[in-house]
Coordinates of all heavy atoms in Angstrom, one line a residue:
M1 N 0.9 -1.2 0.1 CA -0.1 -0.1 0.0 C 0.9 1.2 0.0 O 1.8 1.4 0.9 CB -0.9 -0.1 1.2 CG -1.9 1.0 1.3 SD -3.1 1.0 2.6 CE -4.2 -0.2 2.0
K2 N 0.7 2.1 -1.0 CA 1.5 3.3 -1.1 C 0.8 4.5 -0.4 O -0.5 4.7 -0.5 CB 1.7 3.7 -2.5 CG 2.7 2.7 -3.2 CD 2.9 3.3 -4.6 CE 3.9 2.3 -5.3 NZ 4.3 2.6 -6.7
E3 N 1.6 5.4 0.2 CA 0.9 6.5 0.8 C 1.2 7.7 0.0 O 2.3 8.0 -0.4 CB 1.6 6.8 2.2 CG 0.8 7.8 2.9 CD 1.1 7.8 4.5 OE1 1.4 6.7 5.1 OE2 1.2 8.9 5.1
V4 N 0.1 8.4 -0.3 CA 0.2 9.6 -1.3 C -0.4 10.9 -0.5 O -1.7 10.9 -0.5 CB -0.5 9.4 -2.6 CG1 -0.4 10.6 -3.5 CG2 0.1 8.1 -3.3
G5 N 0.4 11.7 0.0 CA -0.1 12.8 0.7 C -1.0 12.4 1.8 O -1.9 13.2 2.1
G6 N -0.7 11.4 2.6 CA -1.5 10.9 3.7 C -2.5 9.9 3.3 O -2.8 9.0 4.0
M7 N -3.1 9.9 2.2 CA -4.0 8.9 1.6 C -3.1 7.6 1.3 O -2.0 7.6 0.9 CB -4.7 9.3 0.3 CG -5.6 10.3 0.5 SD -6.5 10.6 -1.1 CE -5.1 11.3 -2.1
K8 N -3.8 6.4 1.6 CA -3.1 5.2 1.2 C -3.8 4.6 0.0 O -5.1 4.5 -0.1 CB -3.2 4.3 2.5 CG -2.4 4.8 3.5 CD -2.5 3.8 4.7 CE -1.5 4.2 5.8 NZ -1.9 5.3 6.6
I9 N -3.1 4.2 -1.0 CA -3.5 3.6 -2.3 C -3.0 2.3 -2.4 O -1.7 2.0 -2.3 CB -3.1 4.5 -3.5 CG1 -3.7 5.9 -3.4 CG2 -3.6 3.8 -4.7 CD1 -3.3 6.8 -4.4
E10 N -3.8 1.2 -2.7 CA -3.5 -0.2 -2.8 C -4.1 -0.7 -4.0 O -5.1 -0.7 -4.2 CB -3.9 -0.9 -1.6 CG -3.6 -2.3 -1.6 CD -3.8 -3.1 -0.5 OE1 -4.7 -2.7 0.4 OE2 -3.5 -4.3 -0.3
K11 N -3.3 -1.3 -4.9 CA -3.7 -1.9 -6.0 C -3.8 -3.4 -5.7 O -2.9 -4.1 -5.5 CB -2.6 -1.7 -7.2 CG -3.1 -2.3 -8.6 CD -2.2 -1.8 -9.6 CE -2.6 -2.2 -11.0 NZ -1.6 -1.9 -12.1
I12 N -5.1 -3.8 -5.7 CA -5.4 -5.1 -5.3 C -5.0 -6.1 -6.5 O -4.6 -7.2 -6.3 CB -7.0 -5.2 -4.9 CG1 -7.3 -4.3 -3.8 CG2 -7.3 -6.7 -4.5 CD1 -6.5 -4.3 -2.6
S13 N -5.5 -5.7 -7.7 CA -5.3 -6.5 -8.8 C -5.2 -5.5 -10.0 O -5.4 -4.3 -9.8 CB -6.4 -7.5 -9.0 OG -7.5 -6.8 -9.4
E14 N -5.1 -6.0 -11.2 CA -5.1 -5.2 -12.4 C -6.5 -4.5 -12.6 O -6.7 -3.5 -13.2 CB -4.9 -6.0 -13.7 CG -3.4 -6.5 -13.7 CD -2.4 -5.3 -13.8 OE1 -2.7 -4.2 -14.5 OE2 -1.6 -5.3 -13.0
N15 N -7.5 -5.1 -11.9 CA -8.9 -4.6 -12.0 C -9.5 -3.9 -10.8 O -10.6 -3.5 -10.8 CB -9.9 -5.6 -12.6 CG -9.5 -6.1 -14.0 OD1 -9.2 -5.2 -14.8 ND2 -9.6 -7.2 -14.4
K16 N -8.7 -3.8 -9.7 CA -9.3 -3.3 -8.5 C -8.3 -2.5 -7.7 O -7.1 -2.8 -7.6 CB -9.8 -4.4 -7.7 CG -10.5 -3.9 -6.5 CD -11.2 -5.1 -5.7 CE -12.0 -4.4 -4.6 NZ -13.1 -5.3 -4.0
I17 N -8.8 -1.3 -7.3 CA -7.9 -0.4 -6.4 C -8.6 -0.1 -5.2 O -9.9 -0.1 -5.3 CB -7.6 0.8 -7.1 CG1 -6.3 1.5 -6.5 CG2 -8.5 1.8 -7.4 CD1 -5.1 1.5 -7.2
R18 N -7.9 0.1 -4.0 CA -8.4 0.6 -2.8 C -7.7 1.8 -2.3 O -6.6 1.9 -2.3 CB -8.4 -0.6 -1.8 CG -9.1 -0.2 -0.4 CD -9.2 -1.4 0.5 NE -8.0 -2.3 0.5 CZ -8.1 -3.5 0.6 NH1 -9.2 -4.2 0.8 NH2 -7.0 -4.3 0.7
I19 N -8.7 2.9 -1.9 CA -7.9 4.0 -1.4 C -8.5 4.3 -0.1 O -9.8 4.5 0.1 CB -8.3 5.2 -2.4 CG1 -7.7 4.9 -3.8 CG2 -7.5 6.5 -1.9 CD1 -8.1 5.9 -4.9
L20 N -7.6 4.6 0.9 CA -8.1 5.0 2.3 C -8.0 6.4 2.5 O -6.8 7.0 2.2 CB -7.2 4.2 3.3 CG -7.7 4.5 4.7 CD1 -9.0 4.0 5.1 CD2 -6.6 3.9 5.7
I21 N -9.1 7.2 2.8 CA -9.1 8.6 2.9 C -9.5 8.9 4.3 O -10.5 8.4 4.8 CB -10.1 9.1 1.9 CG1 -9.8 8.6 0.4 CG2 -10.0 10.6 1.9 CD1 -10.8 8.6 -0.5
T22 N -8.7 9.7 4.9 CA -9.1 10.3 6.2 C -9.6 11.6 6.3 O -9.5 12.4 5.1 CB -7.8 10.4 7.2 OG1 -6.9 11.3 6.6 CG2 -7.2 8.9 7.2
A23 N -10.2 12.2 7.3 CA -10.6 13.6 7.4 C -9.6 14.5 7.2 O -9.7 15.5 6.5 CB -11.4 13.8 8.8
A24 N -8.4 14.2 7.6 CA -7.2 15.1 7.4 C -6.9 15.2 5.9 O -6.5 16.3 5.4 CB -6.0 14.6 8.2
D25 N -7.0 14.1 5.1 CA -6.8 14.0 3.8 C -7.9 15.1 3.1 O -7.4 15.9 2.1 CB -7.0 12.7 3.1 CG -6.0 11.7 3.6 OD1 -4.9 12.2 4.0 OD2 -6.3 10.6 3.7
L26 N -9.1 15.0 3.5 CA -10.0 15.9 2.9 C -9.9 17.3 3.4 O -10.0 18.1 2.3 CB -11.5 15.5 3.4 CG -12.1 14.1 2.9 CD1 -13.4 13.8 3.6 CD2 -12.1 14.1 1.5
K27 N -9.3 17.5 4.5 CA -9.1 18.9 4.9 C -7.9 19.5 4.0 O -7.9 20.7 3.6 CB -8.7 19.0 6.4 CG -8.5 20.3 6.9 CD -8.3 20.3 8.4 CE -8.2 21.7 8.9 NZ -8.1 21.7 10.4
K28 N -6.9 18.7 3.6 CA -5.9 19.2 2.8 C -6.4 19.5 1.4 O -5.8 20.4 0.8 CB -4.8 18.1 2.7 CG -3.9 17.8 3.9 CD -2.9 16.7 3.7 CE -2.3 16.3 4.8 NZ -1.5 15.0 4.7
K29 N -7.5 19.0 1.0 CA -8.1 19.3 -0.3 C -9.2 20.3 -0.2 O -9.9 20.5 -1.0 CB -8.6 18.0 -0.9 CG -7.6 17.0 -1.2 CD -8.1 15.7 -1.9 CE -7.0 14.7 -2.2 NZ -6.2 15.2 -3.2
N30 N -9.3 20.9 1.1 CA -10.5 21.9 1.4 C -11.8 21.3 1.1 O -12.6 22.1 0.6 CB -10.2 23.3 0.5 CG -8.9 23.8 0.9 OD1 -8.6 24.0 2.0 ND2 -8.2 24.4 0.0
I31 N -12.0 20.1 1.6 CA -13.3 19.4 1.4 C -13.8 19.1 2.7 O -13.1 18.4 3.6 CB -13.2 18.2 0.5 CG1 -12.9 18.7 -0.9 CG2 -14.6 17.5 0.5 CD1 -12.7 17.5 -1.8
D32 N -15.0 19.4 3.1 CA -15.6 18.9 4.3 C -16.4 17.7 4.0 O -17.0 17.5 2.9 CB -16.6 20.0 4.9 CG -17.3 19.6 6.1 OD1 -18.3 19.0 6.1 OD2 -16.7 20.0 7.2
I33 N -16.4 16.7 5.0 CA -17.0 15.4 4.6 C -18.4 15.7 4.3 O -19.1 14.9 3.4 CB -17.0 14.4 5.9 CG1 -17.5 13.1 5.6 CG2 -17.6 15.1 7.1 CD1 -16.5 12.3 4.7
N34 N -19.2 16.6 4.9 CA -20.6 16.9 4.5 C -20.8 17.4 3.0 O -21.7 17.2 2.5 CB -21.1 18.0 5.4 CG -21.4 17.3 6.9 OD1 -21.7 16.2 6.9 ND2 -21.0 18.1 7.8
D35 N -19.6 17.9 2.4 CA -19.7 18.3 1.1 C -19.9 17.0 0.2 O -20.5 17.1 -0.8 CB -18.3 18.9 0.6 CG -18.1 20.3 1.2 OD1 -19.1 20.9 1.7 OD2 -16.9 20.8 1.2
L36 N -19.4 16.0 0.7 CA -19.6 14.8 -0.3 C -21.0 14.2 -0.2 O -21.4 13.6 -1.3 CB -18.6 13.7 0.3 CG -17.2 14.1 0.2 CD1 -16.2 12.9 0.7 CD2 -16.7 14.4 -1.2
Y37 N -21.7 14.6 0.7 CA -23.2 14.2 1.0 C -24.1 15.1 0.0 O -25.1 14.6 -0.6 CB -23.6 14.2 2.3 CG -22.9 13.2 3.2 CD1 -22.3 13.7 4.3 CD2 -22.9 11.8 2.9 CE1 -21.6 12.8 5.2 CE2 -22.2 11.0 3.8 CZ -21.6 11.4 4.9 OH -21.0 10.6 5.8
Y38 N -23.7 16.4 0.1 CA -24.7 17.4 -0.6 C -24.2 18.1 -1.8 O -25.0 18.9 -2.4 CB -25.0 18.4 0.5 CG -25.6 17.8 1.8 CD1 -24.8 17.8 3.0 CD2 -26.9 17.2 1.7 CE1 -25.3 17.2 4.1 CE2 -27.4 16.6 2.8 CZ -26.7 16.6 4.0 OH -27.3 16.1 5.2
D39 N -23.0 17.9 -2.2 CA -22.4 18.6 -3.3 C -21.9 17.6 -4.4 O -20.7 17.2 -4.3 CB -21.3 19.6 -2.9 CG -20.8 20.5 -4.0 OD1 -21.0 20.1 -5.1 OD2 -20.4 21.6 -3.7
D40 N -22.7 17.2 -5.3 CA -22.2 16.1 -6.3 C -21.0 16.6 -7.0 O -20.3 15.7 -7.3 CB -23.4 15.9 -7.3 CG -24.6 15.2 -6.8 OD1 -24.4 14.5 -5.6 OD2 -25.7 15.1 -7.3
T41 N -20.9 17.8 -7.4 CA -19.7 18.3 -8.2 C -18.4 18.0 -7.3 O -17.4 17.5 -7.8 CB -19.9 19.8 -8.4 OG1 -21.1 20.0 -9.2 CG2 -18.7 20.2 -9.3
K42 N -18.5 18.4 -6.0 CA -17.2 18.2 -5.1 C -16.9 16.7 -5.0 O -15.8 16.3 -5.1 CB -17.4 18.8 -3.8 CG -17.0 20.3 -3.8 CD -17.0 20.7 -2.4 CE -16.7 22.3 -2.4 NZ -16.5 22.8 -1.1
A43 N -17.9 15.8 -4.9 CA -17.8 14.4 -4.7 C -17.2 13.8 -6.1 O -16.3 13.0 -6.0 CB -19.1 13.7 -4.4
Q44 N -17.8 14.3 -7.2 CA -17.3 13.7 -8.5 C -15.9 14.1 -8.7 O -15.1 13.3 -9.2 CB -18.2 14.1 -9.6 CG -19.5 13.5 -9.5 CD -20.3 13.9 -10.7 OE1 -20.0 14.7 -11.8 NE2 -21.7 13.6 -10.5
N45 N -15.6 15.5 -8.4 CA -14.2 15.9 -8.7 C -13.1 15.2 -7.8 O -12.0 14.8 -8.1 CB -14.1 17.4 -8.4 CG -14.8 18.2 -9.5 OD1 -15.0 17.8 -10.5 ND2 -15.1 19.5 -9.2
L46 N -13.6 15.0 -6.4 CA -12.7 14.2 -5.5 C -12.5 12.9 -6.2 O -11.4 12.2 -6.2 CB -13.3 14.1 -4.2 CG -12.6 13.2 -3.3 CD1 -11.1 13.8 -3.0 CD2 -13.2 13.1 -1.9
F47 N -13.6 12.1 -6.6 CA -13.4 10.8 -7.1 C -12.4 10.7 -8.3 O -11.6 9.9 -8.3 CB -14.8 10.3 -7.6 CG -14.8 9.0 -8.3 CD1 -14.6 7.8 -7.7 CD2 -15.0 8.9 -9.7 CE1 -14.5 6.6 -8.2 CE2 -15.0 7.7 -10.4 CZ -14.8 6.6 -9.6
W48 N -12.6 11.6 -9.3 CA -11.6 11.6 -10.5 C -10.3 12.0 -10.1 O -9.3 11.5 -10.6 CB -12.2 12.4 -11.6 CG -13.5 11.8 -12.1 CD1 -14.8 12.3 -12.1 CD2 -13.6 10.5 -12.8 NE1 -15.6 11.5 -12.7 CE2 -14.8 10.4 -13.2 CE3 -12.6 9.7 -13.3 CZ2 -15.3 9.2 -14.0 CZ3 -13.0 8.5 -14.0 CH2 -14.4 8.4 -14.3
E49 N -10.1 12.8 -9.1 CA -8.8 13.3 -8.6 C -8.1 12.1 -8.0 O -6.9 11.7 -8.2 CB -8.8 14.4 -7.6 CG -7.5 14.9 -7.2 CD -7.7 16.0 -6.1 OE1 -8.6 16.8 -6.2 OE2 -6.8 16.0 -5.3
L50 N -8.8 11.3 -7.2 CA -8.4 9.9 -6.5 C -8.0 9.1 -7.6 O -6.9 8.4 -7.5 CB -9.3 9.5 -5.6 CG -9.6 10.4 -4.4 CD1 -10.7 9.7 -3.5 CD2 -8.4 10.6 -3.5
L51 N -8.8 8.8 -8.6 CA -8.4 7.9 -9.5 C -7.2 8.3 -10.4 O -6.4 7.5 -10.9 CB -9.6 7.7 -10.6 CG -10.7 6.8 -10.1 CD1 -11.8 6.6 -11.0 CD2 -10.2 5.5 -9.6
Y52 N -7.1 9.6 -10.6 CA -5.9 10.0 -11.3 C -4.6 9.8 -10.5 O -3.5 9.4 -11.0 CB -6.1 11.6 -11.6 CG -4.8 12.2 -12.4 CD1 -4.6 11.7 -13.6 CD2 -4.0 13.0 -11.7 CE1 -3.4 12.3 -14.2 CE2 -2.8 13.6 -12.4 CZ -2.5 13.2 -13.7 OH -1.5 13.7 -14.4
E53 N -4.7 10.1 -9.2 CA -3.6 9.8 -8.3 C -3.2 8.2 -8.2 O -2.1 7.8 -8.3 CB -3.9 10.3 -6.9 CG -3.9 11.7 -6.8 CD -4.1 12.3 -5.4 OE1 -3.9 11.6 -4.4 OE2 -4.6 13.4 -5.3
A54 N -4.3 7.3 -8.4 CA -4.1 6.0 -8.4 C -3.4 5.6 -9.8 O -2.5 4.7 -9.8 CB -5.4 5.3 -8.3
Y55 N -3.9 6.3 -10.9 CA -3.1 6.1 -12.1 C -1.7 6.5 -12.0 O -0.8 5.6 -12.4 CB -3.9 6.9 -13.2 CG -3.1 6.9 -14.4 CD1 -3.0 5.7 -15.3 CD2 -2.3 8.0 -15.0 CE1 -2.4 5.8 -16.5 CE2 -1.7 8.1 -16.2 CZ -1.7 6.9 -16.9 OH -1.0 6.8 -18.1
L56 N -1.4 7.5 -11.4 CA 0.0 8.1 -11.3 C 0.9 7.2 -10.4 O 2.0 6.8 -10.8 CB 0.1 9.4 -10.8 CG -0.5 10.6 -11.6 CD1 -0.4 12.0 -10.8 CD2 0.3 10.6 -13.0
E57 N 0.2 6.7 -9.4 CA 1.0 5.8 -8.4 C 1.1 4.3 -8.6 O 2.1 3.7 -8.5 CB 0.5 6.1 -7.0 CG 0.7 7.5 -6.4 CD 2.1 7.9 -6.3 OE1 3.0 7.1 -6.1 OE2 2.4 9.1 -6.9
E58 N 0.0 3.9 -9.2 CA -0.1 2.4 -9.4 C -0.5 2.0 -10.8 O -0.7 0.8 -11.0 CB -1.5 1.9 -8.4 CG -1.0 2.0 -7.0 CD 0.1 1.1 -6.4 OE1 0.4 0.1 -7.2 OE2 0.5 1.2 -5.3
S59 N -0.5 2.9 -11.7 CA -0.8 2.7 -13.2 C -2.1 1.9 -13.2 O -2.4 1.1 -14.1 CB 0.3 1.7 -13.8 OG 1.6 2.2 -13.7
F60 N -3.1 2.5 -12.4 CA -4.4 2.0 -12.5 C -5.2 2.9 -13.5 O -5.7 3.9 -13.1 CB -5.1 2.0 -11.3 CG -6.4 1.3 -11.1 CD1 -6.5 0.0 -11.2 CD2 -7.5 2.2 -11.0 CE1 -7.7 -0.8 -11.0 CE2 -8.9 1.4 -10.9 CZ -8.9 0.1 -10.9
D61 N -5.3 2.4 -14.8 CA -6.0 3.2 -15.8 C -7.5 2.7 -16.0 O -7.7 1.5 -16.2 CB -5.2 2.8 -17.1 CG -5.6 3.8 -18.3 OD1 -6.5 4.6 -18.1 OD2 -5.0 3.6 -19.3
V62 N -8.4 3.7 -15.9 CA -9.8 3.4 -16.0 C -10.3 3.9 -17.3 O -11.5 3.8 -17.5 CB -10.6 4.0 -14.9 CG1 -10.2 3.4 -13.6 CG2 -10.5 5.5 -14.8
D63 N -9.5 4.4 -18.2 CA -10.0 4.8 -19.5 C -10.9 3.9 -20.2 O -10.5 2.6 -20.3 CB -8.9 5.3 -20.5 CG -8.4 6.6 -20.1 OD1 -9.0 7.3 -19.3 OD2 -7.4 7.0 -20.7
N64 N -12.0 4.2 -20.7 CA -13.0 3.3 -21.4 C -13.4 2.1 -20.7 O -13.7 1.0 -21.2 CB -12.3 2.9 -22.7 CG -12.0 4.1 -23.6 OD1 -12.9 4.9 -23.7 ND2 -10.8 4.1 -24.3
S65 N -13.4 2.2 -19.3 CA -13.8 1.1 -18.6 C -15.2 1.4 -17.8 O -15.4 2.5 -17.4 CB -12.8 0.8 -17.4 OG -11.7 0.5 -18.1
K66 N -16.0 0.4 -17.7 CA -17.1 0.4 -16.9 C -16.6 0.2 -15.3 O -15.7 -0.7 -15.2 CB -18.2 -0.4 -17.3 CG -18.8 0.0 -18.6 CD -20.1 -0.8 -18.9 CE -20.5 -0.3 -20.3 NZ -21.9 -0.7 -20.5
L67 N -17.2 0.9 -14.4 CA -16.5 0.8 -13.0 C -17.6 0.4 -12.1 O -18.9 0.8 -12.2 CB -16.0 2.2 -12.6 CG -14.8 2.7 -13.5 CD1 -14.6 4.1 -13.0 CD2 -13.7 2.0 -13.6
I68 N -17.3 -0.4 -10.9 CA -18.1 -0.5 -9.8 C -17.3 0.2 -8.7 O -16.2 0.0 -8.5 CB -18.2 -2.0 -9.6 CG1 -18.9 -2.8 -10.6 CG2 -19.0 -2.2 -8.2 CD1 -18.8 -4.3 -10.5
V69 N -18.1 1.1 -8.1 CA -17.6 1.9 -7.0 C -18.1 1.5 -5.7 O -19.4 1.6 -5.6 CB -17.6 3.4 -7.3 CG1 -17.1 4.2 -6.1 CG2 -17.0 3.7 -8.5
E70 N -17.4 1.3 -4.7 CA -17.9 1.0 -3.3 C -17.2 1.9 -2.4 O -16.0 2.1 -2.4 CB -17.5 -0.5 -3.0 CG -18.0 -1.5 -3.8 CD -17.6 -2.8 -3.5 OE1 -18.1 -3.6 -2.7 OE2 -16.5 -3.3 -4.1
V71 N -18.0 2.5 -1.5 CA -17.5 3.4 -0.4 C -18.0 2.8 0.9 O -19.1 2.6 1.1 CB -17.9 4.9 -0.6 CG1 -17.4 5.8 0.5 CG2 -17.5 5.4 -2.0
A72 N -17.1 2.7 1.8 CA -17.4 2.2 3.2 C -16.7 3.0 4.3 O -15.5 3.2 4.1 CB -17.2 0.8 3.2
P73 N -17.3 3.3 5.3 CA -16.6 3.8 6.5 C -15.6 2.8 7.1 O -15.9 1.7 7.1 CB -17.7 4.2 7.4 CG -18.8 3.3 7.1 CD -18.8 3.0 5.7
V74 N -14.5 3.4 7.6 CA -13.5 2.5 8.2 C -13.5 2.9 9.7 O -13.3 2.0 10.5 CB -12.2 2.7 7.6 CG1 -11.1 1.9 8.3 CG2 -12.1 2.3 6.1
S75 N -13.6 4.2 10.1 CA -13.7 4.7 11.3 C -14.5 6.0 11.4 O -15.1 6.3 10.3 CB -12.2 4.9 11.9 OG -11.8 6.0 11.3
H76 N -14.5 6.7 12.5 CA -15.3 7.8 12.6 C -14.7 9.0 11.8 O -15.5 9.9 11.4 CB -15.5 8.4 14.0 CG -14.1 8.9 14.6 ND1 -13.1 8.1 15.0 CD2 -13.8 10.2 14.7 CE1 -12.1 8.9 15.4 NE2 -12.5 10.2 15.3
D77 N -13.5 8.9 11.3 CA -12.9 9.9 10.5 C -12.2 9.4 9.2 O -11.4 10.2 8.7 CB -11.9 10.8 11.3 CG -10.7 10.1 11.6 OD1 -10.6 8.7 11.5 OD2 -9.7 10.7 11.9
S78 N -12.5 8.2 8.7 CA -12.0 7.8 7.6 C -12.9 6.9 6.7 O -13.8 6.3 7.3 CB -10.7 7.1 7.8 OG -10.8 5.9 8.6
F79 N -12.7 6.7 5.5 CA -13.5 5.7 4.7 C -12.7 5.2 3.6 O -11.5 5.7 3.3 CB -14.7 6.6 4.0 CG -14.4 7.7 3.1 CD1 -14.3 7.5 1.7 CD2 -14.4 9.0 3.5 CE1 -14.2 8.4 0.8 CE2 -14.0 10.0 2.7 CZ -14.0 9.8 1.3
E80 N -13.1 4.1 3.0 CA -12.3 3.5 1.9 C -13.2 3.5 0.6 O -14.4 3.2 0.6 CB -12.3 2.0 2.5 CG -11.5 1.0 1.5 CD -11.4 -0.4 2.1 OE1 -10.5 -0.6 2.9 OE2 -12.4 -1.1 1.6
L81 N -12.5 3.8 -0.4 CA -13.0 3.8 -1.7 C -12.5 2.6 -2.5 O -11.2 2.7 -2.6 CB -12.7 5.1 -2.4 CG -13.1 5.3 -3.9 CD1 -14.6 5.4 -4.0 CD2 -12.4 6.4 -4.4
S82 N -13.4 1.6 -2.9 CA -12.8 0.6 -3.8 C -13.4 0.8 -5.2 O -14.7 1.0 -5.2 CB -13.2 -0.9 -3.2 OG -12.7 -1.0 -1.9
T83 N -12.6 0.6 -6.1 CA -13.0 0.8 -7.5 C -12.6 -0.4 -8.3 O -11.4 -0.7 -8.3 CB -12.6 2.1 -8.1 OG1 -12.9 3.1 -7.3 CG2 -13.0 2.3 -9.5
S84 N -13.5 -1.0 -8.9 CA -13.2 -2.2 -9.8 C -13.5 -1.9 -11.3 O -14.7 -1.3 -11.5 CB -14.0 -3.4 -9.2 OG -13.8 -3.8 -8.0
K85 N -12.7 -2.3 -12.2 CA -13.0 -2.3 -13.5 C -13.7 -3.6 -13.9 O -13.3 -4.6 -13.6 CB -11.7 -2.1 -14.3 CG -11.0 -0.8 -14.1 CD -9.9 -0.5 -15.1 CE -8.8 -1.5 -14.7 NZ -7.5 -1.2 -15.5
L86 N -14.8 -3.5 -14.7 CA -15.4 -4.6 -15.1 C -14.6 -5.1 -16.4 O -14.2 -4.5 -17.2 CB -16.9 -4.2 -15.6 CG -17.9 -4.0 -14.6 CD1 -19.1 -3.7 -15.1 CD2 -18.1 -5.3 -13.7
S87 N -14.5 -6.5 -16.5 CA -13.8 -7.1 -17.6 C -14.7 -6.9 -18.7 O -15.9 -6.8 -18.5 CB -13.5 -8.6 -17.3 OG -14.8 -9.3 -17.3
S88 N -14.1 -7.1 -19.9 CA -14.9 -6.7 -21.2 C -16.0 -7.8 -21.1 O -17.1 -7.6 -21.8 CB -14.1 -6.9 -22.3 OG -13.4 -8.2 -22.4
K89 N -15.9 -9.1 -20.6 CA -16.9 -10.1 -20.6 C -18.2 -9.5 -20.0 O -19.3 -9.8 -20.4 CB -16.4 -11.2 -19.9 CG -17.4 -12.4 -19.6 CD -16.8 -13.6 -18.9 CE -17.8 -14.5 -18.5 NZ -17.3 -15.5 -17.7
Y90 N -18.1 -8.8 -18.8 CA -19.2 -8.4 -18.1 C -19.6 -7.0 -18.6 O -20.7 -6.6 -18.3 CB -18.9 -8.3 -16.6 CG -18.7 -9.7 -16.0 CD1 -17.4 -10.1 -15.7 CD2 -19.7 -10.6 -15.9 CE1 -17.1 -11.3 -15.2 CE2 -19.5 -11.9 -15.4 CZ -18.2 -12.3 -15.1 OH -18.1 -13.5 -14.5
A91 N -18.7 -6.1 -19.1 CA -19.0 -4.8 -19.5 C -20.0 -4.8 -20.7 O -20.8 -3.9 -20.8 CB -17.8 -4.0 -19.7
S92 N -20.0 -5.8 -21.4 CA -20.8 -5.9 -22.7 C -22.1 -6.7 -22.3 O -22.9 -6.8 -23.4 CB -20.1 -6.5 -23.7 OG -19.7 -7.9 -23.5
Y93 N -22.2 -7.2 -21.2 CA -23.5 -7.9 -20.8 C -24.6 -7.1 -20.7 O -24.7 -6.0 -20.1 CB -23.2 -8.6 -19.4 CG -24.5 -9.4 -18.9 CD1 -24.8 -10.5 -19.4 CD2 -25.4 -8.7 -18.0 CE1 -26.0 -11.3 -19.0 CE2 -26.4 -9.3 -17.5 CZ -26.8 -10.6 -18.0 OH -27.9 -11.3 -17.7
K94 N -25.8 -7.5 -21.4 CA -27.0 -6.8 -21.4 C -28.0 -7.6 -20.8 O -28.2 -8.9 -21.3 CB -27.4 -6.3 -22.7 CG -26.4 -5.2 -23.3 CD -27.0 -4.7 -24.6 CE -25.9 -3.7 -25.2 NZ -26.4 -3.2 -26.5
R95 N -28.7 -7.1 -19.8 CA -29.8 -7.9 -19.1 C -31.0 -8.2 -20.1 O -31.5 -7.2 -20.7 CB -30.3 -7.1 -17.9 CG -31.2 -7.9 -17.0 CD -31.5 -7.1 -15.9 NE -32.7 -7.5 -15.2 CZ -33.3 -6.8 -14.4 NH1 -32.8 -5.8 -13.8 NH2 -34.5 -7.1 -13.9
K96 N -31.4 -9.4 -20.2 CA -32.6 -9.6 -21.0 C -33.8 -9.5 -20.1 O -33.8 -9.9 -19.0 CB -32.5 -11.1 -21.5 CG -31.3 -11.3 -22.5 CD -31.2 -12.7 -22.9 CE -30.0 -12.9 -23.8 NZ -30.0 -14.2 -24.3
L97 N -34.9 -8.9 -20.8 CA -36.1 -8.7 -20.1 C -37.0 -9.9 -20.3 O -37.1 -10.6 -21.3 CB -36.9 -7.4 -20.6 CG -35.9 -6.2 -20.2 CD1 -36.7 -5.0 -20.8 CD2 -35.8 -6.0 -18.6

């Protein structure tokens, strides 16, 4: 697991990355945790910034990928963001009605 400006980035596999973010990390980025609940723009910008950092540190490239994103609390002041790229087998799957 690599530490980038306080955040911890871990490449689980070629298709999955996990990022641990603390309140201190958000503060460095001038983001209040409540902003993520009520301001979609700030939340989206943070998400893409984190994925860019994961790309720089772990070569985790999400271009042209469908993603599954999971966010879970770790403690009272931190959360974990897990992002998985769907393999082409599942990305092209269409549900039949």
Side-chain angles (χ1 to χ4, degrees):
M1 188 176 279
K2 290 185 181 178
E3 192 166 324
V4 179
M7 290 183 296
K8 292 182 173 73
I9 299 175
E10 179 180 13
K11 188 173 186 179
I12 307 298
S13 70
E14 288 302 310
N15 292 324
K16 187 169 186 170
I17 195 111
R18 181 172 38 214
I19 303 171
L20 179 65
I21 305 154
T22 66
D25 298 327
L26 293 177
K27 188 174 183 176
K28 287 178 192 173
K29 296 178 179 299
N30 295 319
I31 297 174
D32 182 270
I33 189 75
N34 292 317
D35 291 340
L36 301 179
Y37 297 122
Y38 302 110
D39 188 337
D40 286 345
T41 303
K42 281 191 177 183
Q44 288 179 17
N45 288 341
L46 176 63
F47 174 72
W48 289 113
E49 182 180 330
L50 294 172
L51 285 183
Y52 182 67
E53 290 180 25
Y55 171 72
L56 293 176
E57 294 301 318
E58 296 286 352
S59 300
F60 188 74
D61 189 2
V62 297
D63 281 351
N64 299 317
S65 298
K66 292 190 180 195
L67 304 174
I68 296 174
V69 178
E70 302 169 86
V71 179
V74 176
S75 69
H76 73 282
D77 72 341
S78 65
F79 62 93
E80 179 181 281
L81 172 75
S82 295
T83 304
S84 301
K85 296 187 283 187
L86 288 177
S87 69
S88 58
K89 173 182 171 183
Y90 296 108
S92 63
Y93 175 78
K94 293 184 180 178
R95 189 172 150 191
K96 296 181 182 181
L97 298 176

